[in-house]
Amino acid sequence: MNRFVVVSAAVILLISVAYLPLLNDLYWSTIKSLAPLVTVADLIVRNGTIFTSDTSLPFADSMAIRNGRILKVGSFATIKEFIGNGTMEVNLEGKVVVPGLIDSHVHFISGGLQMAQVGLRGVRKKEDFCKMVNDAVQNAKEGSWILGGGWNNDFWGGELPSASWIDEISPRNPVWLIRMDGHMALANSLALKIAGVTSLTEDPVGGTITRMPSGEPTGLLIDAAMELVSPWVKDISVDERREALFRASKYALTRGVTTVIDLGRYYPGTTDELSWKDLQDVYLWADSSKKMMIRTCLFFPITTWSRLLDLKLQRGSVLSEWLYLGGVKAFIDGSLGSNSALFYEEYVDTPNNFGLEVMDPEKISNFTMAADKAGLQVAIHAIGDKANDMILDMYESVATANGDRDRRFRIEHAQHLAPGSADRFGKLHIVASVQPDHLLDDADTAPKKLGYDRAQKESYLFQSLLKGNALLALGSDWPVADINPLHSIRTAIKRIPPKWDHAWIPSERISFTDALIGHTISAARAAFLDHHLGSLSTGKLADFVVLSINSLSEFSKDGSASVLATYVGGKQVYP
């Protein structure tokens, strides 16, 4: 027995000695595999003031990026471990960095198209209006459509344009010029003739044909009445729309915009198909061709909700890091400038006019109920106080019927709110998607249309919405207003219209931080994008903007800053 134990022990010892080199190699390879691998960043930005829009770490001075996403944000001491072979470093030299700016409400391809058409934004004289149309006619082929937009009659005293302004200079070219708000358009007499619009044509539901005392159309068509002419307007080619996307994207990047919420080429008086054609012909093409420059979240007409549902079930909401499927949109009323926003009281300047319901409220309610039950996000345009209350009531009813969930209903514009309505947004968890720069035009016109007291109590109640815990998302409504978030932020915190030396409704000014959050993380949350972007947080897409200022207090004090550089996915794309 003892001899057996001794022999066995000797055998084991010999085997151990023989395999010791192998065991040694195995040991060290195991240790090496357990050792942490040091990740090397593609890009390090340092020595700046980085506003993150992330409450867990509001400010930092450095950031590490790899493969288009954020590795870490913090002090340079905690970031420098990511520096390695091939890491590019950018010394910010004290400049301010903010997350890539998000525009919560644009009509992106419309904006790009308008950049190549007759641009009437800012025109302040009838003579200049006519001259620009005449110049376009002189450079166009006979019979071709003259398209344009951006005009605002309030800039030249309020007189509405008519076909008679331009008929003599455009006898052989149909003309179609959309007002800056998209709710009114001017057609010359040739365009009306082509479309068959005469004194006998009845006003469509949700629209108005403006007429002379004789009953003859003046050429101005409001909201749904625009559909009488728009189908006759020449089709915009696929190539033109693709060029419009590139043109719009390049322009937006100069303004620090890295993501847009695109409500599409969908207005009262247009077909439901335009947004879907743009998805297929433009966005999916650009995405598959690796030509997208701006991250885009798309909304579609509410009448097509089941089509969007089918697409989301097939492909999900995230088509790529560039392209996202959002929700559905509808209109309940028109605009203040066109006197078609829906109010409880009549317009002061047009007695007996309370505005328009551009879509049947029962239809909107039924579509919203169905879309929400299917899990889709719903966004509805509402400008007037009555229109906003109608949508708040409807949203509350739909939420009660369909049960609790994180639905993030949106009201686009929320421009004029009756007493108590601002508080309901927070209580009902409804997003207020607002456009600060609109107030710059309306400060002069709202009192004329609504009366001083109504305009003061109801208009652009940003601070009231925040006090009521509403999620406030900021945008431009481009091309209605310019796509320029830094200007929008300045407007939100200053509220000083052109030629004024004081704020309009100063109690509704918001802080610089709230305004910047409205263009970053709140804008992302408002479109269910907050897991991907909106803040400079570990794991998120590395979209950020370098500003010309050295401290945020500079901007909050005088409101002036410009974009020095725009980065998307950690790559500099402007300049």
Side-chain angles (χ1 to χ4, degrees), residues 323-388:
L323 202 54
Y324 304 82
L325 297 177
V328 291
K329 187 200 175 183
F331 292 83
I332 184 61
D333 67 344
S335 73
L336 181 72
S338 299
N339 283 35
S340 56
L342 188 62
F343 287 94
Y344 286 111
E345 298 180 41
E346 64 186 5
Y347 284 84
V348 172
D349 59 344
T350 51
N352 300 316
N353 174 26
F354 296 83
L356 291 172
E357 292 176 356
V358 300
M359 189 173 182
D360 178 44
E362 186 176 354
K363 285 185 178 179
I364 292 181
S365 180
N366 291 338
F367 280 129
T368 301
M369 186 75 75
D372 178 70
K373 195 168 186 178
L376 298 176
Q377 187 181 19
V378 179
I380 299 181
H381 162 118
I383 299 277
D385 54 11
K386 184 176 181 180
N388 275 279

Side-chain angles (χ1 to χ4, degrees), residues 52-56 100 102 104 259 261 297 299 326 377-378 406-410 429-433 466 469-474 513-514 516-537 540:
T52 66
S53 280
D54 185 336
T55 55
S56 68
I102 303 169
S104 290
T259 299
I261 313 304
C297 179
F299 276 65
Q377 187 181 19
V378 179
D406 182 12
R407 45 178 45 91
R408 303 184 206 182
F409 278 147
R410 296 169 57 119
H429 309 292
I430 292 170
V431 174
S433 170
L466 286 175
N469 295 317
L471 182 63
L472 196 69
L474 273 55
T513 300
D514 284 335
L516 183 51
I517 285 172
H519 265 301
T520 53
I521 190 62
S522 287
R525 286 195 186 109
F528 288 94
L529 298 177
D530 44 314
H531 292 303
H532 308 282
L533 42 85
S535 65
L536 299 176
S537 311
K540 287 193 177 183

Side-chain angles (χ1 to χ4, degrees), residues 124 152 155 180 435-445 460 481 487-488 490-492 494-500 504:
R124 295 185 175 273
N152 184 352
F155 284 179
M180 48 89 74
Q435 297 74 42
D437 278 345
H438 286 0
L439 72 83
L440 299 176
D441 296 329
D442 287 346
D444 289 319
T445 58
Y460 299 91
H487 193 276
S488 168
R490 180 164 67 246
T491 300
K494 301 290 185 182
R495 293 180 70 109
I496 301 177
K499 300 181 181 178
W500 286 40
W504 183 39

Side-chain angles (χ1 to χ4, degrees), residues 212-467:
M212 294 181 274
S214 64
E216 289 295 321
T218 69
L220 277 178
L221 305 173
I222 300 174
D223 285 313
M226 293 191 293
E227 196 166 2
L228 298 171
V229 171
S230 59
W232 298 90
V233 177
K234 68 155 190 171
D235 282 338
I236 299 166
S237 71
V238 172
D239 286 341
E240 286 176 309
R241 287 182 281 136
R242 289 174 179 175
E243 282 300 317
L245 174 64
F246 298 150
R247 194 181 300 121
S249 299
K250 290 173 184 176
Y251 181 56
L253 290 170
T254 70
R255 298 301 177 85
V257 176
T258 58
T259 299
V260 294
I261 313 304
D262 185 5
L263 282 300
R265 291 190 296 143
Y266 175 53
Y267 306 94
T270 60
T271 171
D272 294 351
E273 283 301 307
L274 296 181
S275 297
W276 288 99
K277 286 181 179 179
D278 289 341
L279 169 67
Q280 188 64 46
D281 297 339
V282 181
Y283 283 115
L284 290 177
W285 169 82
D287 193 33
S288 64
S289 305
K290 312 269 187 228
K291 294 183 178 181
M292 290 288 289
M293 293 178 261
I294 295 274
R295 305 194 198 281
T296 306
C297 179
L298 299 169
F299 276 65
F300 298 86
I302 198 168
T303 50
T304 64
W305 69 268
S306 60
R307 193 167 166 184
L308 177 60
L309 176 63
D310 289 343
L311 183 59
K312 281 196 168 193
L313 290 174
Q314 290 170 17
R315 301 191 56 175
S317 295
V318 182
L319 301 184
S320 72
E321 289 185 348
W322 295 98
L323 202 54
Y324 304 82
L325 297 177
V328 291
K329 187 200 175 183
F331 292 83
I332 184 61
D333 67 344
S335 73
L336 181 72
S338 299
N339 283 35
S340 56
L342 188 62
F343 287 94
Y344 286 111
E345 298 180 41
E346 64 186 5
Y347 284 84
V348 172
D349 59 344
T350 51
N352 300 316
N353 174 26
F354 296 83
L356 291 172
E357 292 176 356
V358 300
M359 189 173 182
D360 178 44
E362 186 176 354
K363 285 185 178 179
I364 292 181
S365 180
N366 291 338
F367 280 129
T368 301
M369 186 75 75
D372 178 70
K373 195 168 186 178
L376 298 176
Q377 187 181 19
V378 179
I380 299 181
H381 162 118
I383 299 277
D385 54 11
K386 184 176 181 180
N388 275 279
D389 280 351
M390 289 171 68
I391 301 307
L392 287 167
D393 291 344
M394 185 201 69
Y395 278 162
E396 185 173 17
S397 176
V398 169
T400 300
N402 287 343
D404 288 340
R405 73 176 182 86
D406 182 12
R407 45 178 45 91
R408 303 184 206 182
F409 278 147
R410 296 169 57 119
I411 290 184
E412 304 302 314
H413 310 303
Q415 195 165 294
H416 302 279
L417 302 176
S421 294
D423 289 338
R424 295 184 66 196
F425 280 76
K427 290 175 182 174
L428 299 174
H429 309 292
I430 292 170
V431 174
S433 170
V434 302
Q435 297 74 42
D437 278 345
H438 286 0
L439 72 83
L440 299 176
D441 296 329
D442 287 346
D444 289 319
T445 58
K448 297 173 185 175
K449 294 180 179 295
L450 307 178
Y452 179 81
D453 288 341
R454 280 168 65 196
Q456 288 291 117
K457 291 176 182 175
E458 293 193 347
S459 305
Y460 299 91
L461 305 184
F462 303 153
Q463 186 60 245
S464 295
L465 287 162
L466 286 175
K467 284 181 178 177

